[in-house]
Structure formats: C-alpha cells, structure tokens
Amino acid sequence: MLAKPKGTIDVKGNDALLYEYVSSLVNTIMSSYNYEYIRTPLFEASELFHRSVGESSDIVKKETYDFLDKGNRNMTLRPEGTAGVVRSFIEDKEYALPDVKKYYYNGTMYRYERPQTGRLREFSQFGVEVLGSNDPLVDAEVISLQYKILEALHIDNLQVNINTLGDAESRDNYRDALVKYIEPHLDELCDDCKERFKTNPLRILDCKVDADSEVLKNAPKTIDYLTNDAKVRFDTVLKYLDLLEVDYEVNPKIVRGLDYYDHTVFEVVSLDNNETRQSVLGAGGRYNKLIKELDGPESYGMGFACGIDRIINILKEMDLYKSIKREVDCYVMYVSEEEKLYALDLIQSLRLNGVICETDYLNKGLKGQFKQADRLNAKYLIILNNEDLQKGLVNVKDNVTKEEEKVDISEVVEYIIGNL
Ligand code: HAM
C-alpha cells in the first residue's frame, strides 16, 4: 500500500481545525503589528542556503533535500524561511526604499532529520523578518511578537532564553578564547565537534551530543567578550523587553545552529514540556552580516520562526482546545427530484450569505439525513417537502430545542441568519 513518506504528516480532522485556528490568529496579530505577508518559493538555488544557513551547519551538511532540475541546476527545498526572504529583499532592491520592510510568512520547510515527536522532515513554520533597521527596538519587538502570539494561544510557562553574540570584534575575541579553551579538551568531544573545531568552533556549543559534558559546561561565555558598544546594545534590548513584559532569561549557551547570526539570539520554550530540545517552540535573532554576504549592500535584519507542528502538539493536550469541533449552521433535507431543485437553490443562497450549510450527496432517506445532520452538529434543519413547497413554505427545525416552524421560502435565508 502507498504510504506517506517518513517524517511527513497528513493534516486533517480536528488537527486541520487547529492549524487553521493558529494561522488565522497569526494573521490577525501580524496585521495589528503591520507586518506584510510574503510567500517565497518552496525551492531555491542550493547556493542560497550554502551561503546563508552556512556550509558548517547541520542543516546544510546533512539535512537538505537537494535535487538537479531538468536544466541541470542544483536546487534545494527550503529548510527555513529567512534566506528566501532576504534573497527577495536584495533581488527587488528593497534596501533602497525609505522605510523598513516588515515581512511575515507561514509555510512548509524541509529538513532530512531523524523523525520523532516534534521533529518532522516536512514541517510548518510561521515567522517574521524585519529588514533595514538596526534599532534594538526591532529586536525587542520581534521577540515580544513571538511571545505574545504564543501567549494568545494560551500556552503557559513561556520563557525566552536570550543571548548575544555581539559584533564582529566581540565574536573574534570570543572565538579566540573558545579555541584556546577547547584545544586541550578536544579528545573528550565527539567526532562532529572535532570537525567543528576546524570549521566553526562556535558550533561546538550547540552540539546535541556533548551538550551536558563538563567541557562545554565550563566553556567561556560570549557575554564576557563583548565590546562596550555590543554590551550597551544588548542591555538596551533587555530594557525594552522588560517594558514589554516579556519573561526572559539570559542564557550564555544559546548560540543557534545557523551561521548567519550576530548580536541578539534567542529561543522561546514552554517550560511545561520536559523534553528540552523538543519544547523549543521558536527561535531567531539578528543577522546584519547576511545581506552583504548574499551580495546586497550593508543593511540589517532580525527575525524569528516558530514551529507550528510543535505548537499543535501542545494545544492538543490542552482542555481549552479538546472540544474544538467542526459545526454546520444548517442542514437542508430533501427526497424527491423537485425538492432537490429547491434545495440546490436554497443552499446556494445560504452559503453566499455566509451560512455554513450542508446537504445530502448520497440519496439517503430522511432518517439517514437526520442522522448525518446530528453527526455534523447542525444547528438548524430545513426540511423540504413537495406539499409545503406548493404553498411557498419550508419546514425549519431548531435542532437543539427541536421546535419546528413553517417559514415562507422567500424569507428563510433571513430567518436562519437572524436566529444564528
Ligand atoms: P530554527 O531554530 O532552525 O530557526 O527553527 C525555528 C523553529 O522551527 C524551531 O524552534 C522549531 O520549533 C521549528 N522546527 C525546526 N526544525 C523542525 C523540525 N524538523 N520539525 C518540526 N519543527 C521544526 C530558523 O528556521 C530560522 N530561520 C529562524 C529565524 C528567522 N532567524 C531569523 N529569522
């Protein structure tokens, strides 16, 4: 039997309702922050991700879905959203506009990871990218926006773990200190970390295998190697977060697994969930170098992305969401061909007036139609029969109180709307 590929899911039933609910809440909150929706391609030139996410990142080294298209071009299914948005910003020369661009997106991403709870090969993210401003206000707004969306979904015990990598000088100072510290301990680390030591030593701090080792626990902290400017900048971000009432903790271990970050980096976790890596609901940071690295001018960027599938896993456990079900306003019942013609016309009018309306497609008898209406939690039933129709009437039944009433067929749409 044909089955879905490993690490993918079919979203349907009540899960589909939750995905729709999260997306519509995201749309509403994004518009009040005045973010513009952007949709970039599902696949891009592989080079884009090599140059942005980084050659030494786990994503590019092991996890991308790469293919040669029929024109022999190297293509990659997007593993994340930032690179495509930045590519589009540069391609359309939006850096030359007088205002900051504030984009949000919502879509599927692809990473060849080992599937487990909260870790899929095709997964959904919503996220934002703010391009063109280096103001610490943007860092605080982006972090609080993600936090407020999760709060609006009633996810409890949220905490932002925040750190700074500083500017180029801070990073160089830190890198030197880290290399000096790690070198005598290299034998104690995993093979991947030995490789990372040569290519990108900062990445060692992000290792899933060595995370709890004494070597990493005692490693130098980025925060102790900041230039004065970088420290002042970070303190300002924290001051703004206090003002916006975001619960954060400075965590020097956060360095993030993608190459493009500088200054602020952060993750948002729900402390309810003990499986720490899987409870990371979203993450992001500042990436001022990236625009230049992708052949744009000197500019600035800051963003986050949130894992929707992980959010849904949490919502499914919460009482608030367990009772969510699909409901229809009105079920239209008919038996004969003449009644069916009236039904068709009436259903169309109800639907075009915003009434959620359903009917029979299987030539069921009335008994079967009553049962289906109950399965659909229909609030009203409209029961058509030839005799009433001759007099210009239809039978409307309130499916909760079970009261019935004859209504003039020309007034039935307004009657239903008025009673919903
Ligand atoms: P990321 O940390 O790679 O960052 O992913 C962000 C979120 O996507 C994670 O916290 C997690 O919730 C979700 N996620 C990642 N991988 C998977 C997976 N395999 N299955 C399910 N969910 C997953 C980024 O993607 C950056 N582009 C964020 C960013 C935006 N930085 C700046 N702007």
Side-chain angles (χ1 to χ4, degrees):
M1 201 192 4
L2 286 173
K4 57 185 168 301
K6 203 171 161 187
T8 66
I9 51 170
D10 296 316
V11 177
K12 53 185 177 179
N14 278 5
D15 288 3
L17 291 180
L18 287 178
Y19 276 85
E20 277 173 29
Y21 175 70
V22 171
S23 292
S24 81
L25 186 117
V26 166
N27 292 344
T28 308
I29 297 183
M30 292 296 181
S31 37
S32 61
Y33 280 73
N34 200 30
Y35 280 62
E36 279 174 64
Y37 177 73
I38 183 170
R39 200 185 78 193
T40 61
L42 269 185
F43 60 92
E44 299 261 7
S46 303
E47 189 192 346
L48 173 66
F49 302 111
H50 285 257
R51 286 173 58 187
S52 56
V53 176
E55 300 282 1
S56 67
S57 66
D58 279 358
I59 297 179
V60 165
K61 271 173 78 176
K62 317 186 227 176
E63 296 170 0
T64 50
Y65 279 88
D66 303 310
F67 62 98
L68 263 188
D69 74 4
K70 294 202 190 318
N72 269 341
R73 299 174 199 90
N74 287 302
M75 293 291 170
T76 295
L77 294 186
R78 61 181 186 198
E80 57 97 53
T82 311
V85 175
V86 173
R87 192 259 317 126
S88 172
F89 174 78
I90 298 169
E91 191 174 341
D92 294 339
K93 300 192 174 49
E94 289 175 338
Y95 47 76
L97 297 172
D99 297 319
V100 170
K101 291 308 284 184
K102 304 198 306 185
Y103 283 122
Y104 82 96
Y105 49 88
N106 182 344
T108 48
M109 309 291 159
Y110 300 83
R111 295 184 194 174
Y112 194 82
E113 296 204 74
R114 202 154 55 81
Q116 49 189 287
T117 315
R119 198 169 286 282
L120 296 164
R121 289 183 175 169
E122 180 187 62
F123 59 97
S124 300
Q125 283 185 340
F126 66 83
V128 305
E129 310 298 343
V130 179
L131 295 151
S133 167
N134 193 31
D135 196 315
L137 165 71
V138 171
D139 302 42
E141 176 178 300
V142 163
I143 294 168
S144 80
L145 171 54
Q146 180 177 24
Y147 188 84
K148 297 295 165 193
I149 290 175
L150 295 170
E151 253 186 2
L153 288 164
H154 303 279
I155 297 180
D156 286 336
N157 297 328
L158 289 172
Q159 187 179 287
V160 175
N161 291 320
I162 189 170
N163 189 25
T164 180
L165 304 174
D167 48 23
E169 193 186 330
S170 319
R171 259 181 97 125
D172 288 349
N173 292 344
Y174 178 67
R175 193 189 141 104
D176 291 348
L178 186 68
V179 166
K180 217 182 258 169
Y181 166 79
I182 295 271
E183 201 159 21
H185 299 287
L186 253 189
D187 284 349
E188 298 161 53
L189 298 179
C190 73
D191 287 347
D192 276 351
C193 278
K194 291 188 182 100
E195 190 55 38
R196 289 175 184 128
F197 183 74
K198 289 184 231 149
T199 54
N200 187 347
L202 249 76
R203 177 73 15 89
I204 293 175
L205 299 177
D206 206 41
C207 177
K208 295 166 198 166
V209 180
D210 291 322
D212 296 323
S213 71
E214 283 304 309
V215 183
L216 291 202
K217 273 188 193 152
N218 299 321
K221 299 178 171 61
T222 51
I223 233 146
D224 297 326
Y225 293 83
L226 297 178
T227 59
N228 195 45
D229 284 355
K231 187 170 181 333
V232 169
R233 189 181 192 290
F234 188 52
D235 289 343
T236 311
V237 173
L238 299 185
K239 185 172 83 187
Y240 292 166
L241 286 177
D242 286 332
L243 201 120
L244 294 170
E245 297 185 345
V246 171
D247 183 8
Y248 66 82
E249 193 167 292
V250 176
N251 179 342
K253 280 184 73 181
I254 307 282
V255 289
R256 309 279 298 121
L258 299 89
D259 270 357
Y260 47 59
Y261 293 109
D262 48 21
H263 290 290
T264 312
V265 282
F266 70 100
E267 292 181 347
V268 183
V269 294
S270 163
L271 297 176
D272 266 356
N273 193 332
N274 294 325
E275 298 161 81
T276 45
R277 277 214 67 91
Q278 286 168 23
S279 69
V280 178
L281 298 180
R286 185 160 274 286
Y287 48 86
N288 290 345
K289 302 181 287 17
L290 179 61
I291 296 126
K292 201 148 188 220
E293 271 165 25
L294 293 179
D295 302 331
E298 201 73 60
S299 189
Y300 311 101
M302 168 83 200
F304 77 73
C306 238
I308 301 183
D309 312 274
R310 291 188 188 177
I311 292 175
I312 301 290
N313 285 346
I314 292 188
L315 300 189
K316 278 163 78 170
E317 297 302 314
M318 290 165 60
D319 289 342
L320 184 65
Y321 296 96
K322 279 187 183 152
S323 56
I324 287 189
K325 54 180 186 277
R326 206 175 276 284
E327 281 180 345
V328 307
D329 296 323
C330 185
Y331 189 97
V332 178
M333 299 163 74
Y334 66 90
V335 178
S336 72
E337 186 62 25
E338 292 96 308
E339 290 159 8
K340 188 175 188 173
L341 296 180
Y342 278 101
L344 217 63
D345 192 34
L346 183 55
I347 291 161
Q348 173 101 314
S349 306
L350 285 162
R351 286 175 174 164
L352 294 179
N353 281 284
V355 178
I356 306 169
C357 193
E358 192 51 284
T359 192
D360 168 53
Y361 302 98
L362 293 172
N363 291 320
K364 288 190 184 115
L366 278 185
K367 205 170 152 198
Q369 294 186 43
F370 273 114
K371 281 191 183 156
Q372 193 197 359
D374 285 344
R375 282 196 296 277
L376 293 169
N377 304 303
K379 297 185 193 103
Y380 284 91
L381 312 180
I382 299 180
I383 307 148
L384 302 180
N385 67 63
N386 281 330
E387 212 175 294
D388 285 340
L389 288 171
Q390 302 293 321
K391 299 180 207 146
L393 296 172
V394 294
N395 200 7
V396 181
K397 181 171 179 180
D398 181 323
N399 206 24
V400 181
T401 63
K402 306 293 177 199
E403 277 166 27
E404 287 190 43
E405 206 175 324
K406 301 253 194 247
V407 179
D408 195 291
I409 191 155
S410 61
E411 289 165 12
V412 69
V413 174
E414 286 91 86
Y415 177 92
I416 296 287
I417 293 172
N419 280 287
L420 280 175

